[in-house]
Structure formats: C-alpha cells, structure tokens
Amino acid sequence: MPNTLYNILVPVDFTARSKWAIAKAIELANTFTCNIHLVHVVSSFAIPVIGSDTGYVWSYDATTDMEYAGKKLALLKAQYENHLCSGGKIEISVLHGHPQAVLADYIDKYKMDLVIKGLSRFNLLHRIWSTVSISSLARKTNVPVLAVRSSGLISHFKKIVLPLHDHVPMRRIRFAAMLGRYFKSTIYVLSLKKDNGADIPILNDTLEIIQSLTTIPVQSFILEGKNLAKATLDFSKKINADLIMITSMKEYCLPGLWNKITQKLLSYKSNIPVLTVDHNGNEL
C-alpha cells in the first residue's frame, strides 16, 4: 500500500456519473499532487451467425466508436485540466475489449493507486452491475476502488469509518492512516457486539496499529445488530461520516435475500463515499 497517491484511474462512460467521479479525482489529485487517467473502454461483442462452427463471430468494427470516444475524452481533458492546481496531469486512453479485463490490465501496466467509479443515482440495474464491478475489480487488481455519487462530492475525508469483521485489516488501516494524515481526519473503528458479550481482540489490536502509524485521533465503537453492513451504514449516517472503508467480503453486504443474490455491498445504498480495499493473504 503506497504512502501517497501517484495515479488515479477514472473509468469514463460519458454519463453524469463519470463527471462525479472526475470531480472527486480532481479533489484528490490536488491534495496528493498526482495524475488522473481517464479511460473509456469500447466493449467487444459477438452476434450469432447461421452455419458458423461456434455459432458466433466477431463482426464489430470498433474503429469509429474509438475515434469518437477519443474526441469526447479530449474535450473532457480540456474541460477539467485547468482545475488541477498542484502539478498533476490528465492522461486519456480509449481501449477496446471486455471492460473488466481491459481495466485490470491498464491498472497493472500503469501502476494505478486508486480507481474512482461514479454510481448512478436512480438506475437500479446499473447500481447492481456497478457494485459487482467494483467488488470484482478490487479483488482482481488488489487496488482500492472508491464509489461516489453526486451526494458524495465533499472536498475532504474528515471522518473515516473502518468496520471490522474477523481479522485486522492491514491494507485498510494503512490506507486510512495515509488519508487521515493528509485530511487531518478522525478514524472510527467499528465492530459488532458479540452475542455472549465477549471481548473483541481485533478492536484493540486495530487501535494499537493505527496509533503506531499515525497521531491522528482514533475512536472505537461496539455496535448492536446482526448485520455489519447495516450497522456501519446507520452509524456513518449518524455521525455524518465522509468515507466508509470496506472489503468486498460478503460480511459487508446488506441484509435480505435479494441483497445476498446481487451481492449488494453497502456502497450500493450509501450516499457517503465507500472505498473498497480488498485484503490479501498477508493480513493478520
């Protein structure tokens, strides 16, 4: 996990949600003096053909769409580059292929430190797809993915919420500490109350690690409830949090059968920005 941000990726689909993501990227780029990469992926698709051995052939020429997207990206760059005031640059790229795979390759090739995705305000189907995409991209690339809506365009992360499940989340801790130092934040560490009233060792362990990494304030809370995602969201609303940090684990899905089927992470429902930071096998 880096000690700062150098490169931020914003997948662009030329809708309002892309503009929300770009606006948040501009804010962070001006804070961390980093570069923004605006990337649009022209999807590939196949159509059935009678008599074909496979039943499908690739019959789509993406050249025209890629040229058109390149012009639109250039306009976005011209529109936003004057908002960068700390020395960072905006890079633009138009790529072709399966969006998830292409973005994962780009993230790895150009060493992205953060991905920012804008979420739709009203479109339920897009919310389902976006949430799954965020979860999958975070797992596949091991790079944090920040989900924002128009309501999440604040210029700071003063109150950072860090919910805990069953392990000490080292990658989230380091990222929270890094953000906290820049924004002079307070970190709120949360855990659900045990049914038997037993102590929660990971709560104290996490507090000690955060305090060893930074001098920013940190507070811990034990919450009532059965579902960690719902309890976290309720707490975050109560304190007017600026950022929630989770992983893509099922423990951060909201309750309900439909939510479980669609893997509805709390980023799906939260108007507060949600950062998905997947853990790796080296965490405690």
Side-chain angles (χ1 to χ4, degrees), residues 110-127:
Y110 295 102
K111 309 302 180 187
M112 297 296 106
D113 301 302
L114 178 68
V115 178
I116 303 181
K117 280 188 64 91
L119 293 186
S120 174
R121 201 180 334 181
F122 301 113
N123 189 322
L124 177 60
L125 291 177
H126 180 263
R127 288 191 182 187

Side-chain angles (χ1 to χ4, degrees), residues 3 7 17 31 42 62 70 84 98 109 113 138 143 156 169 180 182 205 238 240 242:
N3 293 321
N7 291 291
R17 53 185 174 260
T31 299
V42 176
L84 286 174
H98 186 278
K109 182 177 180 180
D113 301 302
V143 171
H156 58 259
Y182 278 90
D205 292 343
K238 185 176 180 180
N240 294 317
D242 302 310

Side-chain angles (χ1 to χ4, degrees), residues 39-279:
V39 178
H40 176 75
V41 181
V42 176
S43 299
S44 298
F45 61 90
I47 61 172
V49 175
I50 298 175
S52 170
D53 292 337
T54 62
Y56 292 85
V57 295
W58 295 104
S59 60
Y60 170 54
D61 183 0
T63 304
T64 300
D65 285 347
M66 293 182 73
E67 290 177 352
Y68 180 60
K71 293 176 182 179
K72 293 179 73 174
L73 274 183
L75 290 175
L76 277 180
K77 177 180 179 179
Q79 177 183 350
Y80 285 102
E81 61 185 352
N82 290 333
H83 294 269
L84 286 174
C85 57
S86 63
K89 299 183 297 181
I90 296 180
E91 306 285 350
I92 59 174
S93 297
V94 179
L95 306 173
H96 177 232
H98 186 278
Q100 197 85 332
V102 168
L103 289 175
D105 288 343
Y106 189 96
I107 288 167
D108 179 64
K109 182 177 180 180
Y110 295 102
K111 309 302 180 187
M112 297 296 106
D113 301 302
L114 178 68
V115 178
I116 303 181
K117 280 188 64 91
L119 293 186
S120 174
R121 201 180 334 181
F122 301 113
N123 189 322
L124 177 60
L125 291 177
H126 180 263
R127 288 191 182 187
I128 294 170
W129 170 247
S130 293
T131 302
V132 173
S133 175
I134 288 167
S135 173
S136 177
L137 196 60
R139 285 196 305 267
K140 181 178 293 188
T141 64
N142 228 14
V143 171
V145 181
L146 176 63
V148 296
R149 291 196 179 87
S150 58
S151 56
L153 298 183
I154 52 174
S155 59
H156 58 259
F157 292 137
K158 292 291 188 182
K159 297 179 180 179
I160 300 174
V161 174
L162 187 68
L164 305 176
H165 174 52
D166 61 1
H167 71 284
V168 178
M170 288 303 302
R171 296 190 76 240
R172 279 191 290 150
I173 288 172
R174 293 191 185 101
F175 209 93
M178 183 266 288
L179 292 175
R181 284 192 293 269
Y182 278 90
F183 291 104
K184 297 180 173 58
S185 314
T186 297
I187 298 177
Y188 297 82
V189 182
L190 313 180
S191 185
L192 288 182
K193 183 178 180 180
K194 300 290 186 182
D195 291 336
N196 58 6
D199 292 338
I200 307 172
I202 61 169
L203 197 58
N204 291 330
D205 292 343
T206 299
L207 286 174
E208 290 177 4
I209 293 171
I210 294 174
Q211 290 167 345
S212 72
L213 294 174
T214 180
T215 58
I216 63 175
V218 56
Q219 300 181 27
S220 64
F221 293 85
I222 299 176
L223 306 179
E224 301 281 350
K226 300 292 185 181
N227 181 269
L228 181 59
K230 184 179 185 304
T232 297
L233 191 54
D234 291 343
F235 176 88
S236 301
K237 291 177 180 177
K238 185 176 180 180
I239 68 165
N240 294 317
D242 302 310
L243 180 67
I244 304 170
M245 300 183 65
I246 66 170
T247 75
S248 60
M249 296 167 59
K250 64 180 181 180
E251 286 76 20
Y252 296 95
C253 291
L254 292 165
L257 179 60
W258 176 247
N259 294 337
K260 292 178 181 177
I261 293 173
T262 59
Q263 296 182 352
K264 188 176 179 182
L265 296 176
L266 67 87
S267 56
Y268 203 19
K269 189 174 182 180
S270 175
N271 287 323
I272 301 166
V274 178
L275 185 64
T276 302
V277 184
D278 257 34
H279 68 284

